Amino acid sequence: MTDPSSPAAPPARRKRVRLAPEVRRHQILDAALDAFGEFGFAGTSMHRIARGVGLSKAGLYAHFASKDEIFEALLTDHMLAPPLDVAWASDEDQSIEALVDGFLDRCYTDRHTPRVLATFRLLIAESGRVPDFVRRWHATVIAPHKAARDAVIHQAVAAGRLPRNGLTENFDLAMAPALMAMMSLLVLTGPQAEAQAAAFRAAHREILLILLDKERGCRR
Amino acid sequence: MTDPSSPAAPPARRKRVRLAPEVRRHQILDAALDAFGEFGFAGTSMHRIARGVGLSKAGLYAHFASKDEIFEALLTDHMLAPPLDVAWASDEDQSIEALVDGFLDRCYTDRHTPRVLATFRLLIAESGRVPDFVRRWHATVIAPHKAARDAVIHQAVAAGRLPRNGLTENFDLAMAPALMAMMSLLVLTGPQAEAQAAAFRAAHREILLILLDKERGCRR
Amino acid sequence: MTDPSSPAAPPARRKRVRLAPEVRRHQILDAALDAFGEFGFAGTSMHRIARGVGLSKAGLYAHFASKDEIFEALLTDHMLAPPLDVAWASDEDQSIEALVDGFLDRCYTDRHTPRVLATFRLLIAESGRVPDFVRRWHATVIAPHKAARDAVIHQAVAAGRLPRNGLTENFDLAMAPALMAMMSLLVLTGPQAEAQAAAFRAAHREILLILLDKERGCRR
Amino acid sequence: MTDPSSPAAPPARRKRVRLAPEVRRHQILDAALDAFGEFGFAGTSMHRIARGVGLSKAGLYAHFASKDEIFEALLTDHMLAPPLDVAWASDEDQSIEALVDGFLDRCYTDRHTPRVLATFRLLIAESGRVPDFVRRWHATVIAPHKAARDAVIHQAVAAGRLPRNGLTENFDLAMAPALMAMMSLLVLTGPQAEAQAAAFRAAHREILLILLDKERGCRR
DNA sequence: AATGAATGAGTTTTCATTCAT
DNA sequence: AATGAATGAAAACTCATTCAT
């Protein structure tokens, strides 16, 4: 079928393709993320990753010294990007509604892609494998990001633009509902999970508007 | 020498112990949860589980037909228990504060045990392995539980004891901050994560009190 | 051909045979010595050893944790036996001729077996792999043996039964020609080498008789 | 930065060097001898040889068609050189002492170099790989050399300058003690082996002087 | 002549599982 | 019920070799 010229043709293997190292590296990490995200580190074989790239097993080793190295490169590439922005309004012009909507876009639209979900599942499932990496990541990526964001929020609170309450003092929690939606997507899959996530988003919006409202969101 | 009862005892290996099937079964599931939770399904060998029980590998097969069967039995045992109570006050006697504190106890104290964390990690990591199981679990455990709880909440809203807002209409979100704390515990480990969780709990309390307050938590 | 009873019979695998650990261990070491001696350590695959024993590859690992462990067990078993006797006549009754002939028997007849040759080749080829082992072996086996033998020889020299010369002061050299014959056997193989060894033995005898003769073997 | 000549030089890897074929060939054989001598044929990878020459693996194939070819070229180059001279006194002027000392120099000083030891180990370890080669080598190199030397010795015996005995009739044995010293160096390494070799040489000298002495070395 | 990416066959080792006791 | 020797399949990784540049 594929090769009518010779009746009993062997597997008809593709010509050897040679690509630039960076390109291959990227392909490999992509395939690895897909596989690790789906089957976990231990459940993913080098064979599967190789197949995903259209390369032989041995070919992987021209670019990475070991499965572990692929794993670490993956985490490094994907997690050293700042996880969330710092856009909580240094300018007063935007309404709370607009700010919240921007935030929700970043929480849901940007973060509910297969790629991000896979990374997230990997983080949960395999963090025990690389505790040092996680610690470093937290210290160099998460903590600074949090500090920057907290500064902005505290300033807005001080300026009276936001109320002082449990949320504005622990602003991580602002994305807790989105995290819950991610969990649904991870565990459930399918339209059921999508619907769930959409409902969460709407409720999330309403909750944030209450908690960030200067009148309603105040302590008592 | 060490054992005068047997003159030339060889390696002095532990006597074969025969236990009642249910006892062994339970031991095995315990050991399996520990191992699966730490290393994932694929990363856990039958040898490790067997060692955890003090049994030989082959001994496991007297109780379970396969590794998969252990896994499914584990999920069944651990997840078919209702995950959270339905105590949101059909009686008016309790103050909101008391109800919230009870809820937080169930969210944090009860759910941040190693056992629950392991189950949770397992759920995230391996849900792709057993989609049917997850669907069934959701349909038979989660959904009914949610329905029951929603009924209670809606009733309280109708009675005017709780405001109508995004939270009371999606009451799952009430535990979103606790979920976030679990994530910290799963990924970070150590006192850092514990401190984080404690801070979350305090903020969580305050947020719930705002959102469930008839005055502050109302829509606009 | 081999199995006319079933035309397209599968490999017709032998029933699983279970042997006592010591028996298997021994079989494995035997097969390993054959293979290592012929192909060297690196040139021998676990598959070949397994085939030599009639066991599956994985079966080897029930008895040895690794290829290296097989190697070391082999050396230990084969080399910790004293390599040569200590029979150089404290009694005066035996003639020099009788002593020399006994010595030559031990040097040629006993030591030119395939087994000993294989061990010897292994020692030369792979001593670099296990320098510590070799050092230990030399210290615990060779050196003590040499010391005991030297004591006997020196005593005979002191008693005037043997001359004092380069040989009686470095009695290792007494077997140098036999070593040379071993080399021939190792390198050449075949009847050519056998003939060589026989000629060496005859000359060896004559040389020893000269050098151990009180008159002719004396210093000048 | 480290290399101001090229502003944005990447990994700064060594320039491709092109050498005359014979030079490279020689370099490769040198590196191969080192590696084969230390790790054996099977234990030596093309990568290691290539690294030893400062060449890429593929580069080796510009000079040799295969690993086996390198091995055979190595043996050919190193072993087709006559292994030992033929200087046993056609002239009567030299004393036995002088002749023996010259012989010992050739046996010890010349032959206990790392290069010769590596070749020797290789011969022992891998002779089974290339039996035809060894046979050819023996027939074309060793046997003629031996014949020439035997002629000289026999002539000296006939002329009465040397006694007729086991040694002069099997003159290979004259270097047996040196061979034994080589074995020590191969197996033991370190100063221990050096000392051993030195002691052997002194005793060797004395033994030869006895055996080649017309009076003492005679048959009875 | 030289390279580095690519490969198929092979390496050692592990694993889930079976079987005879 | 329990064991430990045994197994086929598959894992990670290596290697001699090839090919496009």
Side-chain angles (χ1 to χ4, degrees):
Chain A
M1 276 198 175
T2 44
D3 185 0
S5 66
S6 65
R13 80 180 74 104
R14 253 180 340 113
K15 265 292 276 294
R16 193 189 277 222
V17 179
R18 182 190 183 141
L19 295 179
E22 318 85 51
V23 176
R24 272 287 192 235
R25 227 186 112 90
H26 209 96
Q27 288 183 337
I28 292 171
L29 292 180
D30 273 7
L33 179 56
D34 284 354
F36 286 154
E38 188 166 358
F39 306 101
F41 179 83
T44 297
S45 70
M46 292 298 265
H47 176 67
R48 184 188 294 275
I49 298 176
R51 200 166 6 99
V53 199
L55 206 56
S56 70
K57 251 184 306 171
L60 297 180
Y61 289 88
H63 301 276
F64 294 94
S66 68
K67 194 180 168 187
D68 279 88
E69 205 181 284
I70 296 182
F71 183 66
E72 299 223 4
L74 196 57
L75 290 186
T76 305
D77 279 21
H78 276 262
M79 301 186 57
L80 293 191
L84 212 52
D85 73 328
V86 190
W88 276 94
S90 33
D91 65 299
E92 316 177 13
D93 301 348
Q94 293 210 39
S95 66
I96 291 286
E97 278 83 1
L99 286 171
V100 163
D101 284 329
F103 176 73
L104 291 177
D105 267 348
R106 294 189 302 271
C107 280
Y108 290 81
T109 314
D110 298 0
R111 314 226 128 229
H112 289 184
T113 66
R115 181 67 26 119
V116 173
L117 287 173
T119 308
F120 189 71
R121 167 179 273 145
L122 212 47
L123 181 64
I124 303 273
E126 311 288 350
S127 57
R129 289 188 59 77
V130 282
D132 289 353
F133 179 90
V134 171
R135 232 187 309 285
R136 225 167 41 241
W137 164 72
H138 194 268
T140 61
V141 179
I142 300 306
H145 173 269
K146 193 169 168 173
R149 191 205 53 203
D150 282 356
V152 173
I153 299 294
H154 289 358
Q155 190 183 329
V157 170
R161 270 177 289 122
L162 293 178
R164 177 182 313 276
N165 62 26
L167 179 64
T168 55
E169 282 168 0
N170 280 275
F171 208 71
D172 288 327
L173 295 183
M175 57 177 140
L179 188 77
M180 207 162 188
M182 275 183 89
M183 303 290 317
S184 285
L185 289 170
L186 280 179
V187 171
L188 249 51
T189 75
Q192 200 178 8
E194 306 274 0
Q196 177 79 281
F200 278 180
R201 178 170 179 166
H204 193 177
R205 182 171 195 275
E206 199 177 336
I207 289 171
L208 285 182
L209 288 178
I210 293 173
L211 291 169
L212 297 178
D213 184 72
K214 271 169 297 185
E215 319 244 312
R216 292 177 295 169
C218 60
R219 266 194 185 117
R220 217 166 252 174
Chain B
M1 283 195 174
T2 43
D3 183 1
S5 65
S6 63
R13 85 178 69 109
R14 224 153 27 78
K15 264 298 276 295
R16 187 188 281 222
V17 180
R18 183 179 187 138
L19 294 180
E22 318 81 53
V23 177
R24 274 286 194 231
R25 233 187 104 89
H26 207 93
Q27 288 182 336
I28 292 172
L29 292 179
D30 271 7
L33 177 57
D34 284 353
F36 286 153
E38 187 165 359
F39 306 101
F41 179 83
T44 296
S45 70
M46 291 297 265
H47 177 69
R48 186 187 293 276
I49 299 176
R51 199 165 8 96
V53 201
L55 207 56
S56 73
K57 250 187 305 173
L60 298 179
Y61 288 85
H63 301 275
F64 294 93
S66 69
K67 194 181 171 187
D68 280 271
E69 205 181 284
I70 296 181
F71 184 65
E72 300 221 6
L74 192 59
L75 290 185
T76 306
D77 279 23
H78 275 262
M79 303 186 56
L80 293 190
L84 212 52
D85 73 328
V86 189
W88 276 94
S90 34
D91 66 295
E92 318 177 11
D93 301 349
Q94 294 209 38
S95 66
I96 290 287
E97 278 82 0
L99 286 171
V100 163
D101 284 330
F103 177 75
L104 291 177
D105 266 349
R106 293 188 302 273
C107 280
Y108 290 82
T109 313
D110 297 1
R111 314 225 129 232
H112 288 184
T113 66
R115 181 66 30 117
V116 173
L117 287 172
T119 308
F120 189 71
R121 168 180 274 147
L122 209 48
L123 181 64
I124 303 272
E126 310 287 350
S127 57
R129 289 188 59 77
V130 283
D132 290 351
F133 179 90
V134 171
R135 230 185 312 284
R136 223 166 47 240
W137 166 70
H138 194 266
T140 61
V141 179
I142 300 305
H145 174 268
K146 191 169 170 175
R149 191 205 54 203
D150 281 356
V152 173
I153 299 293
H154 288 359
Q155 191 182 329
V157 170
R161 271 179 287 121
L162 292 178
R164 176 182 314 275
N165 62 25
L167 178 63
T168 55
E169 282 167 0
N170 281 275
F171 206 71
D172 288 329
L173 296 183
M175 59 177 138
L179 189 76
M180 207 161 188
M182 275 183 89
M183 303 291 316
S184 285
L185 289 171
L186 280 180
V187 170
L188 248 53
T189 75
Q192 200 179 8
E194 307 273 0
Q196 178 78 281
F200 278 0
R201 178 171 179 166
H204 193 177
R205 182 172 195 274
E206 199 177 336
I207 288 171
L208 284 182
L209 288 178
I210 293 174
L211 291 169
L212 296 178
D213 184 73
K214 272 169 296 185
E215 319 243 313
R216 291 178 294 170
C218 61
R219 269 197 181 114
R220 212 165 259 172
Chain C
M1 275 194 175
T2 45
D3 184 1
S5 66
S6 64
R13 80 179 74 104
R14 254 180 337 114
K15 266 291 276 294
R16 193 188 277 221
V17 180
R18 182 189 182 142
L19 295 180
E22 317 85 52
V23 177
R24 272 286 192 236
R25 228 187 110 89
H26 209 96
Q27 289 184 337
I28 292 171
L29 292 180
D30 273 7
L33 179 56
D34 285 354
F36 286 154
E38 188 167 357
F39 305 101
F41 179 84
T44 296
S45 69
M46 292 297 266
H47 177 68
R48 185 189 293 276
I49 299 176
R51 198 164 8 98
V53 200
L55 206 57
S56 70
K57 254 182 303 170
L60 297 179
Y61 288 86
H63 302 275
F64 294 94
S66 68
K67 195 179 169 186
D68 279 270
E69 204 181 284
I70 295 182
F71 184 67
E72 300 222 5
L74 197 56
L75 290 186
T76 305
D77 279 21
H78 276 262
M79 302 187 56
L80 294 190
L84 213 51
D85 72 329
V86 189
W88 277 94
S90 34
D91 66 295
E92 316 177 11
D93 302 349
Q94 295 210 38
S95 67
I96 290 288
E97 279 83 1
L99 287 170
V100 163
D101 284 329
F103 177 72
L104 292 176
D105 266 349
R106 293 190 303 271
C107 281
Y108 290 82
T109 314
D110 297 359
R111 316 226 126 231
H112 288 183
T113 65
R115 181 67 29 117
V116 173
L117 287 173
T119 309
F120 188 71
R121 168 179 274 145
L122 212 47
L123 182 63
I124 303 274
E126 312 288 350
S127 56
R129 286 188 61 76
V130 282
D132 289 352
F133 179 90
V134 171
R135 230 186 311 285
R136 223 164 46 237
W137 166 71
H138 195 267
T140 61
V141 179
I142 300 306
H145 173 268
K146 191 169 170 174
R149 192 206 52 205
D150 281 357
V152 173
I153 299 294
H154 288 359
Q155 190 182 328
V157 170
R161 272 179 284 123
L162 293 177
R164 176 183 314 277
N165 63 26
L167 179 63
T168 55
E169 283 169 359
N170 280 275
F171 207 70
D172 289 327
L173 295 182
M175 58 178 140
L179 188 76
M180 207 163 187
M182 276 182 89
M183 305 289 317
S184 286
L185 290 169
L186 280 179
V187 170
L188 248 52
T189 73
Q192 198 177 10
E194 307 274 359
Q196 178 79 284
F200 277 1
R201 177 169 178 166
H204 193 177
R205 183 172 195 273
E206 202 177 332
I207 288 170
L208 285 182
L209 288 177
I210 292 173
L211 290 169
L212 297 178
D213 184 71
K214 271 170 297 185
E215 319 246 313
R216 292 179 292 171
C218 62
R219 270 197 181 114
R220 215 167 254 172
Chain D
M1 284 202 174
T2 44
D3 182 2
S5 67
S6 62
R13 83 177 70 107
R14 222 153 28 77
K15 262 300 275 292
R16 188 189 279 223
V17 179
R18 185 181 186 135
L19 294 180
E22 317 84 50
V23 177
R24 276 286 193 230
R25 231 187 107 88
H26 207 93
Q27 289 182 334
I28 292 171
L29 292 180
D30 272 8
L33 179 56
D34 284 354
F36 286 154
E38 187 165 358
F39 306 100
F41 179 83
T44 296
S45 69
M46 292 297 265
H47 176 69
R48 186 188 293 275
I49 300 176
R51 205 172 355 105
V53 202
L55 207 57
S56 73
K57 252 187 306 174
L60 297 179
Y61 288 85
H63 301 275
F64 295 93
S66 69
K67 193 180 170 187
D68 280 272
E69 205 181 283
I70 295 182
F71 184 65
E72 301 221 6
L74 192 58
L75 290 185
T76 306
D77 279 23
H78 275 262
M79 304 187 54
L80 293 191
L84 211 52
D85 73 328
V86 190
W88 276 94
S90 33
D91 66 300
E92 315 176 16
D93 300 350
Q94 293 211 37
S95 66
I96 290 287
E97 279 82 0
L99 287 170
V100 163
D101 284 330
F103 176 74
L104 292 176
D105 267 349
R106 294 191 300 273
C107 281
Y108 290 82
T109 314
D110 298 359
R111 315 225 128 230
H112 287 184
T113 66
R115 181 68 27 121
V116 172
L117 287 172
T119 308
F120 187 72
R121 169 179 274 148
L122 209 48
L123 182 63
I124 304 272
E126 311 288 350
S127 57
R129 289 187 59 76
V130 283
D132 290 352
F133 179 90
V134 171
R135 232 186 309 286
R136 223 166 45 242
W137 166 71
H138 196 265
T140 60
V141 178
I142 300 305
H145 173 267
K146 192 169 169 174
R149 192 205 51 202
D150 282 355
V152 172
I153 299 293
H154 288 358
Q155 189 182 327
V157 170
R161 269 179 288 121
L162 292 178
R164 176 181 314 275
N165 62 26
L167 179 64
T168 55
E169 282 169 1
N170 281 276
F171 207 70
D172 288 329
L173 296 183
M175 57 178 141
L179 188 76
M180 206 161 187
M182 276 183 87
M183 304 289 317
S184 286
L185 290 170
L186 280 180
V187 170
L188 248 53
T189 75
Q192 199 178 9
E194 307 273 0
Q196 178 78 282
F200 278 0
R201 178 170 179 165
H204 193 178
R205 183 172 195 274
E206 200 178 334
I207 288 171
L208 285 182
L209 288 178
I210 293 173
L211 291 169
L212 296 178
D213 185 69
K214 270 169 296 185
E215 318 241 314
R216 292 178 295 171
C218 62
R219 267 193 184 118
R220 215 166 251 175

